Amino acid sequence: MIAAALAALSLSLPSPELPNLPPIRRDPQITYVDRSGTVLGVRGGRYAPPVNMARLPAYVPAAFVAIEDRRFYEHTGFDARGIARAIVTNIERGRAAQGASTITQQLARNLYLSSDRTLQRKADELLYSIQLERTYSKQQILALYLSRIYFGSGAYGIEAASQRYFNKPASRLTLREAAILAAIPKSPTGYNPTDHAEASAQRSRLVLNAMVETGAITPAQRAKALAQNPKVWKTPPHDAAQYFLDWLDGETRRAVGAPRQDLVVETTLDAALETAAGEAARSAVARYAKQGVGQAAVVAVDGQGRVRAFVGGLDHTASPFDRAADARRQAGSSWKPFVYLTALEAGLTPDAPVVDEPVAFGTWSPRNYEDGYLGPITLQQALAQSVNTVAVRLADQVGRTNVAATARRLGVASPINTDPAMALGTSQVSPLEMAQAYAAFANGGQRVAAYGVERIRTTGGVVVWQRRAPAPVQVIGNPALGALNQMLRGVISSGTGARAAMPGRDVAGKTGTTSDYRDAWFCGFTGNLTTVVWMGRDDNSPMRSITGGSAPAELWRSVMSSGVQRLSTGPIPPGPPPPLVAPAPMLTTAPLGPTPAVGLAPAQAAPLAEPIG
């Protein structure tokens, strides 16, 4: 009876005694979109602007009115009849079985008050509701309500909920989907369609029934809606992209400062490729879980450094740590192209003779993945079969500091050690670094700095920041570039990367496996598209016989198969013509003594537990 008394009291209050409405506060939001305008996510303020009601199908707001407040268009902020009915029902059942808060009251609570169940809060809620009704139109109130109501799973507002559960804008919701969303606010946990599908379905039927009772839809429309079975996304459609947004968000805020208005960040990501990469990563990890694979990361960049896919893990909600940009893991034999490029630039050729035989550096001697030694082979065969003895000796001949300088030149920024095992990838790097380094092999030898933001604008279209493309820098010339790419093609056609083969496509790459199978990589490319895959475990414990040529190569092929369909790719470009007068060979393949590390001191001394392939 208290609520009814408050309601009666509020009706007798003259307008001047109603509380002044505080300003409606909303922190600015930053909306990130992919290269074609698809929304990837929103950062910053919790609430979106009021919904544009003209863009919603009429049945969307009607669903909420029918189930939450069917007398919405008749009352002046509260429903005295509804309050009385709720009181009677609750007395009869001996518990709080029915509420009577109108949409306007719910909005007043959301805008100005807490959820405390006190008499004072309820009184304030009623007074604010009446004032809201006197200040705003019904359509404005409904637009504010639909932009702020909580739908579970971190989604505030109808637009965020539509994207979260159905991967579409609210303007494209079907009648059944609208009913599913209208069912949620009563209990965002209990009626969440991803976690409680049956409860959600039952309450959405109640919503449709209520819509028939209020005349919003016909029985035939209800029957048609009930026959539909909309796809509800168990994980957010662009969950994988949240790692990408984490990576960009700090950069965005440094570029524009604290936003004072809503902004739109136009990114380089391809949403469809990102989704395909995330699904492929989850599938690959599940397929090899019995062999100890626990996580995966995928980075794909084009020839200009635009990040097209960025998967930092399997489930951002459960584990937001970014394995694509923030994790540092040993590179294994995916590091060897830096060794071989240094040797090719020093004058060697792919058919140069080398010998796979025991070699020692003090008390340490590298071993190959396969038992035994191949004896006399060519440089190309050594890379294709990922022979460790040859790589270690080669790095020693050309100088490990020179190998480190080559990796730096191509875009590796992490500390690089220069001990004898460095040729086998004992330095710890991120997949993002490896992607931008390998991109130079894929674009004709130009250095790439991976980036994700093209421009930032207001929602009204005013550009506040625009990326300026740097002048191209040639970091690999010929004949070294052409020779290395020939050798990396051989890794796939006749070497350890056979599972990465894509018939009819010009592809090249390198496998990488670290000691005890703790890390497995495949880094590869075609013309204008480079993809790097890492697989392993967050606790750095060993996997069971997972090499770079197994699960990572398969995952790489899956991602690249989607990439070449969506992006502009082609044969691997040959790069610039060689100089008219070729430099004289500077290096032979005769064994030389160890070269002291000078110029680039070991920045991170890694143990000599060498990678194995």
Side-chain angles (χ1 to χ4, degrees), residues 424-457:
L424 306 183
T426 53
S427 295
Q428 296 181 345
V429 293
S430 72
L432 181 63
E433 287 176 287
M434 294 297 279
Q436 67 183 11
Y438 269 68
F441 305 150
N443 70 4
Q446 294 183 353
R447 174 160 181 159
V448 158
Y451 72 95
V453 177
E454 294 285 11
R455 69 173 186 165
I456 305 172
R457 59 177 171 81

Side-chain angles (χ1 to χ4, degrees), residues 544-581:
R544 290 187 291 281
S545 300
I546 295 294
T547 67
S550 60
E554 294 174 6
L555 174 53
W556 180 89
R557 185 184 63 219
S558 177
V559 175
M560 287 291 284
S561 295
S562 297
V564 298
Q565 298 298 323
R566 294 197 53 78
L567 305 175
S568 176
T569 62
I572 299 168
L580 294 177
V581 180

Side-chain angles (χ1 to χ4, degrees), residues 202-547:
Q202 290 178 2
R203 182 159 173 81
S204 68
R205 291 188 192 100
L206 292 180
V207 174
L208 292 170
N209 291 341
M211 295 180 75
V212 171
E213 292 170 5
T214 57
I217 61 173
T218 66
Q221 289 174 309
R222 174 181 58 189
K224 183 178 179 181
L226 288 172
Q228 298 172 346
N229 187 25
K231 176 183 178 181
V232 176
W233 290 70
K234 292 294 185 183
T235 58
H238 300 299
D239 181 75
Q242 302 314 303
Y243 293 102
F244 176 69
L245 301 193
D246 288 347
W247 177 57
L248 291 186
D249 203 46
E251 177 185 341
T252 299
R253 293 174 188 279
R254 284 190 294 272
V256 299
R260 297 183 178 181
Q261 58 184 319
D262 291 342
L263 297 174
V264 177
V265 178
E266 298 174 0
T267 77
T268 61
L269 208 72
D270 185 281
L273 179 57
E274 175 77 0
T275 298
E279 291 175 350
R282 286 189 289 272
S283 176
V285 170
R287 192 162 60 249
Y288 286 93
K290 291 183 178 179
Q291 290 177 248
V293 179
Q295 273 293 352
V298 179
V299 178
V301 300
D302 69 11
Q304 289 71 50
R306 292 180 283 245
V307 176
R308 299 306 198 185
F310 187 107
V311 179
L314 303 183
D315 185 336
H316 182 270
T317 303
S319 179
F321 175 68
D322 179 8
R323 299 154 189 86
D326 295 339
R328 298 293 188 276
R329 304 294 288 246
Q330 287 191 348
S333 290
S334 63
W335 184 268
K336 288 177 181 174
F338 307 138
V339 177
Y340 282 81
L341 177 59
T342 307
L344 292 167
E345 290 177 334
L348 289 184
T349 59
D351 58 0
V354 291
V355 180
D356 176 19
E357 61 184 357
V359 60
F361 291 80
T363 59
W364 178 72
S365 179
R367 59 187 178 86
N368 293 324
Y369 179 66
E370 301 287 349
D371 292 334
Y373 300 92
L374 299 176
I377 53 176
T378 65
L379 208 64
Q380 178 156 343
Q381 290 172 317
L383 182 58
Q385 300 304 321
S386 205
V387 176
N388 284 341
T389 60
V390 171
V392 172
R393 178 175 286 176
L394 198 62
D396 190 62
Q397 288 180 279
V398 300
R400 292 187 291 274
T401 56
N402 293 328
V403 174
T406 297
R408 281 272 184 268
R409 179 177 14 126
L410 268 60
V412 174
S414 292
I416 301 173
N417 70 72
T418 54
D419 59 36
M422 73 92 71
L424 306 183
T426 53
S427 295
Q428 296 181 345
V429 293
S430 72
L432 181 63
E433 287 176 287
M434 294 297 279
Q436 67 183 11
Y438 269 68
F441 305 150
N443 70 4
Q446 294 183 353
R447 174 160 181 159
V448 158
Y451 72 95
V453 177
E454 294 285 11
R455 69 173 186 165
I456 305 172
R457 59 177 171 81
T458 67
T459 53
V462 177
V463 176
V464 298
W465 185 90
Q466 177 82 48
R467 182 179 183 272
R468 293 186 177 91
V473 178
Q474 195 74 32
V475 290
I476 314 174
N478 274 311
L481 175 62
L484 180 65
N485 283 345
Q486 171 190 327
M487 296 166 71
L488 292 175
R489 288 184 181 101
V491 171
I492 294 177
S493 64
S494 61
T496 58
R499 294 193 199 181
M502 298 175 63
R505 297 281 180 180
D506 184 16
V507 294
K510 185 69 187 76
T511 56
T513 312
T514 64
S515 56
D516 297 326
Y517 305 101
R518 297 177 189 274
D519 304 276
W521 298 73
F522 193 87
C523 308
F525 53 94
T526 189
N528 201 45
L529 182 62
T530 299
T531 296
V532 166
V533 168
W534 166 86
M535 300 179 79
R537 298 180 65 85
D538 284 340
D539 61 6
N540 201 35
S541 59
M543 298 177 286
R544 290 187 291 281
S545 300
I546 295 294
T547 67

Side-chain angles (χ1 to χ4, degrees), residues 31-102:
T31 300
Y32 290 87
V33 300
D34 87 329
R35 69 189 187 108
S36 61
T38 298
V39 175
L40 299 171
V42 179
R43 297 296 168 89
R46 172 179 292 178
Y47 302 114
V51 170
N52 186 337
M53 300 292 285
R55 293 185 179 180
L56 291 180
Y59 51 72
V60 173
F64 290 86
V65 170
I67 195 67
E68 290 289 327
D69 183 7
R70 64 176 60 187
R71 284 171 37 81
F72 172 70
Y73 291 104
E74 301 169 24
H75 63 64
T76 58
F78 66 94
D79 184 358
R81 187 188 306 172
I83 292 173
R85 183 178 60 250
I87 291 173
V88 172
T89 301
N90 294 341
I91 291 174
E92 289 176 347
R93 299 187 183 182
R95 58 186 176 86
Q98 189 176 104
S101 290
T102 64

